[in-house]
Amino acid sequence: MKKIKAIKASEITPEHLYLSRRKFIAGIGALAAGSLFLNACPAPETSGGEQPADTLTSFDAVTGYNNFYEFTTSKNGIGFLARDLKISPWTVEVGGLVNKPQTFAIEDLLKKFPPEERIYRMRCVEAWSMVIPWLGFPLSKLLQEVEPTAAAKFVRFTALYDPEQMPGQEDRTYDWPYIEGLRLDEAMHDLTLLSNGLYGKALLPQNGAPLRLVAPWKYGFKSIKSIVRIDLVEEMPVSLWMAASPHEYGFYANVNPGVDHPRWSQSSERRIGEEKRRRTLLFNGYAEEVAHLYAGMDLKKNF
Ligand code: MTE
């Protein structure tokens, strides 16, 4: 079994250098090129003081504090438990209601759709958050390639099922494999990425190697890791979390400070690495980009 090489400290770009490089790139017009989707200081959604500027969460926190229930329900030490996950060879099957179903080897997929950098906020439904410099390509490019038919309304994503490698899948509390879904227009939105890396490096297993979804205006659980299948479907998919606890986890899972989780408030969040809590922003601060997708919908009902 292939060992995942640990990343040496010397190979990691320190966050402060990374940040100044980002600022530099932003300054020379990457914003115009559309590569930076993070507003340095998003407009406050409600009154009550300025929202502090966003800064990148450290590489150590992004790779050391995770949710990956296929391995464990604990957030720490997933890197160790997942260190031997076999990510090569890896294929992603894309099918369902499409004219051109295809199975892609991961390396071909990344050659066809070269990854770009996108810095996004990530807000977990558990009320913690991070800011992560992802590498990835828009999911829309892959969907265009396979040509969804007129009957396709939703996209269903399936993660790896392999209890021998993923000990958490012995836990029958959950209906494995991990499934997630998006409406087709959400999936086609330019913010929606298939990510293969972060901080300029290939994804580590704990972050969903070799390919995971990133939909930054939705709670983190929508961003399914270690994807092996993508299907275009007519009916709204039932995600692992909807099946496990339908009154707590809805299909949309849009970040919304006005709709509390039945067991806790969603009005604020703990930004990993910061002392003070932050106010949670509607659609995680991406309202300008995505609010139109939900025009006329009752976001309390469609939570
Ligand atoms: N994908 C799979 N396959 N299994 C999981 O348990 N957890 C989700 C999401 N994707 C999860 C998953 C949750 S709850 C969150 S918050 C994010 O992954 C966490 O991503 P990160 O560990 O890279 O920060």
Side-chain angles (χ1 to χ4, degrees), residues 97-237:
L97 301 171
V98 299
N99 291 325
K100 295 181 176 170
Q102 279 180 74
T103 300
F104 298 90
I106 184 73
E107 58 277 13
D108 295 339
L109 200 59
L110 298 174
K111 247 183 247 154
K112 207 170 174 58
F113 308 114
E116 56 189 87
E117 184 164 79
R118 300 272 187 100
I119 300 176
Y120 287 159
R121 292 175 214 98
M122 184 181 75
R123 168 62 156 82
C124 179
V125 73
E126 298 160 335
W128 54 267
S129 64
M130 296 187 178
V131 178
I132 303 174
W134 298 105
L135 291 176
F137 62 88
L139 171 62
S140 63
K141 292 192 179 176
L142 174 59
L143 297 181
Q144 276 157 8
E145 177 75 17
V146 296
E147 295 180 7
T149 68
K153 300 284 181 288
F154 295 90
V155 185
R156 184 179 64 218
F157 304 85
T158 308
L160 180 67
Y161 178 72
D162 187 349
E164 279 192 16
Q165 294 200 78
M166 298 175 138
Q169 289 179 332
E170 307 286 1
D171 178 354
R172 302 313 304 176
T173 315
Y174 299 100
D175 192 10
W176 304 105
Y178 198 100
I179 302 277
E180 259 309 334
L182 293 173
R183 223 169 52 192
L184 185 54
D185 58 347
E186 298 176 322
M188 293 298 290
H189 194 287
D190 188 53
L191 282 177
T192 307
L193 286 193
L194 283 175
S195 167
N196 70 308
L198 56 83
Y199 265 111
K201 296 178 184 296
L203 278 185
L204 292 172
Q206 61 266 39
N207 294 108
L211 196 72
R212 60 133 358 124
L213 185 70
V214 182
W217 70 98
K218 294 178 174 284
Y219 291 121
F221 69 83
K222 297 298 283 183
S223 294
I224 179 173
K225 299 177 171 182
S226 303
I227 297 169
V228 293
R229 260 205 88 87
I230 300 176
D231 288 293
L232 282 286
V233 296
E234 196 168 355
E235 305 286 327
M236 180 182 281

Side-chain angles (χ1 to χ4, degrees), residues 211-283:
L211 196 72
R212 60 133 358 124
L213 185 70
V214 182
W217 70 98
K218 294 178 174 284
Y219 291 121
F221 69 83
K222 297 298 283 183
S223 294
I224 179 173
K225 299 177 171 182
S226 303
I227 297 169
V228 293
R229 260 205 88 87
I230 300 176
D231 288 293
L232 282 286
V233 296
E234 196 168 355
E235 305 286 327
M236 180 182 281
V238 177
S239 69
L240 174 135
W241 287 109
M242 289 163 75
S245 191
H247 70 289
E248 293 185 315
Y249 305 106
F251 174 78
Y252 283 95
N254 290 318
V255 175
N256 190 336
V259 180
D260 287 338
H261 186 281
R263 289 182 279 139
W264 60 83
S265 163
Q266 293 292 25
S267 66
S268 72
E269 65 201 55
R270 180 170 60 95
R271 176 66 56 82
I272 302 299
E274 292 182 1
E275 302 251 310
K276 272 181 74 183
R277 289 183 78 85
R278 290 173 169 259
R279 274 177 310 115
T280 288
L281 303 177
L282 182 61
F283 299 118

